[in-house]
């Protein structure tokens, strides 16, 4: 039996008297796209924040490749190979694509130039960025030295996904990646998500777009009122079934 790349058991998160997560279990397998859906207030965001280190659950356990872990910050999750692309993209518009890919992880020059003068190795960062963009098959980003503020919404999303893919060695979490995108750009992002799975990475996709979810996901985790209402697959259930579980119909 395959060991899950990421697993949550009995996650509980309280905000005063409000139960945001009520003993939630989640399993993510290698090279799998797991969609997380649910109505507003169902606990999706809280669940993702607990998985990505942005929140610490009050009870419950997290496992990466079968080993128990405790995340106290997003940096802890990143160190374990889990990268998150939030709905509000954390990109620096004035910087170029390569600088955004290496934001917070800049490569310094070798020798005293890097260690003493702390000069960045811009050429190496651009070379690695071009390789990463090419490996993901992102054809819309041709000029690595182009400022992100000159890019379209879909291209900015591609930069954020490329950064997560470059450093998320195991898991990439995408929060509403197609929100506010046009049809063509949405298609490009969906292709990116498939390409992530093809490279062996596991993906958690949070989305309100049911057709996209049923097109992409291997399994669908449904949140309702802070708890998991069920886990289904597009092969065994319809969109109507998913909505019924979400709403308690």
């Amino acid at each position: 039996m395959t060991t899950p790349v990421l697993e949550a058991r009995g996650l509980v998160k309280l905000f005063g008297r409000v139960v945001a997560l009520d003993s939630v279990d989640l399993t993510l397998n290698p090279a799998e796209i797991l969609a997380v859906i649910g109505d507003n207030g169902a606990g999706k965001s809280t669940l993702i924040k607990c998985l990505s280190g942005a929140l610490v659950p009050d009870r419950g356990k997290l496992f990466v490749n079968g080993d128990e872990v405790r995340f106290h910050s997003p940096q802890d999750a990143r160190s374990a190979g889990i990268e998150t692309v939030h709905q509000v993209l954390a990109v620096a518009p004035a910087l170029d694509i390569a600088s955004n890919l290496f934001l917070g992880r800049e490569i310094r020059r070798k020798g005293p130039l890097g260690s003493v003068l702390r000069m960045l190795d811009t050429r190496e960062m651009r070379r690695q960025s071009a390789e990463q963009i090419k490996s993901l098959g992102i054809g819309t980003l041709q000029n690595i030295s182009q400022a992100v503020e000159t890019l379209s919404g879909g291209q900015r999303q591609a930069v954020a996904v490329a950064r997560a893919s470059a450093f998320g060695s195991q898991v990439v979490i995408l929060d509403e990646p197609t929100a506010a995108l046009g049809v063509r750009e949405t298609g490009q992002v969906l292709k990116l998500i498939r390409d992530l799975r093809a490279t062996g990475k596991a993906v958690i996709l949070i989305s309100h777009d049911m057709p996209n979810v049923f097109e992409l996901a291997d399994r669908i985790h449904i949140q309702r009122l802070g708890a998991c209402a069920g886990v289904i697959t597009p092969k065994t259930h319809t969109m109507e079934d998913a909505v019924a579980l979400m709403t308690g119909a």
Side-chain angles (χ1 to χ4, degrees), residues 2 14 17 65 79 87 92 99 112 119 141 148 156 189 201 234:
T2 306
L14 307 172
R17 293 184 178 180
N65 294 320
S79 299
Q87 188 171 354
S99 298
M119 292 178 70
L141 301 177
V148 166
R156 292 186 191 202
V189 172
K201 297 185 194 301

Side-chain angles (χ1 to χ4, degrees):
M1 188 174 174
T2 306
T3 302
V5 65
L6 179 62
E7 185 179 6
R9 296 181 195 165
L11 290 191
V12 173
K13 185 63 186 175
L14 307 172
F15 295 102
R17 293 184 178 180
V18 177
V19 182
L21 290 181
D22 187 4
S23 298
V24 174
D25 295 340
L26 178 142
T27 303
L28 178 67
N29 297 311
E32 175 184 50
I33 297 175
L34 175 69
V36 176
I37 64 173
D39 218 338
N40 291 334
K44 301 188 302 297
S45 295
T46 304
L47 174 60
I48 294 314
K49 287 176 181 176
C50 288
L51 296 178
S52 62
L55 286 176
V56 178
D58 296 308
R59 290 197 298 277
K61 295 180 178 181
L62 288 174
F63 299 85
V64 174
N65 294 320
D67 298 323
E68 186 174 352
V69 295
R70 280 191 67 78
F71 299 150
H72 297 284
S73 69
Q75 189 56 50
D76 290 344
R78 290 191 194 112
S79 299
I82 300 169
E83 284 284 334
T84 305
V85 178
H86 295 285
Q87 188 171 354
V88 179
L89 294 181
V91 292
L95 299 181
D96 63 24
I97 292 171
S99 298
N100 267 278
L101 254 66
F102 281 91
L103 203 59
R105 300 182 176 92
E106 290 83 0
I107 299 174
R108 293 208 179 99
R109 290 194 189 183
K110 292 183 173 68
L113 288 177
S115 59
V116 179
L117 299 179
R118 303 174 73 83
M119 292 178 70
L120 301 181
D121 193 340
T122 305
R123 181 180 296 178
E124 179 60 18
M125 288 192 291
R126 286 181 177 172
R127 185 192 68 77
Q128 289 191 27
S129 297
E131 279 187 4
Q132 183 63 24
I133 297 290
K134 184 179 178 182
S135 71
L136 280 173
I138 304 173
T140 57
L141 301 177
Q142 299 291 337
N143 182 7
I144 293 299
S145 59
Q146 185 175 355
V148 166
E149 63 190 356
T150 65
L151 302 177
S152 69
Q155 288 173 318
R156 292 186 191 202
Q157 188 69 258
V159 169
V161 171
R163 182 173 63 200
S165 173
F167 297 104
S169 57
Q170 304 191 74
V171 177
V172 177
I173 300 173
L174 302 171
D175 187 1
E176 297 285 358
T178 59
L181 295 185
V183 174
R184 182 169 169 271
E185 292 185 327
T186 293
Q188 292 168 351
V189 172
L190 298 186
K191 179 185 178 298
L192 267 178
I193 296 170
R194 289 194 194 91
D195 290 343
L196 284 176
R197 176 175 57 187
T199 62
K201 297 185 194 301
V203 179
I204 295 178
L205 171 67
I206 302 94
S207 180
H208 279 102
D209 194 317
M210 297 294 271
N212 287 349
V213 164
F214 271 75
E215 181 185 338
L216 284 175
D218 298 299
R219 292 185 303 126
I220 302 169
H221 173 108
I222 301 172
Q223 279 287 120
R224 181 172 181 271
L225 301 177
C228 176
V231 180
I232 63 174
T233 74
K235 293 179 181 176
T236 58
H237 291 73
T238 65
M239 287 188 213
E240 289 75 18
D241 295 332
V243 172
L245 282 167
M246 276 172 55
T247 57

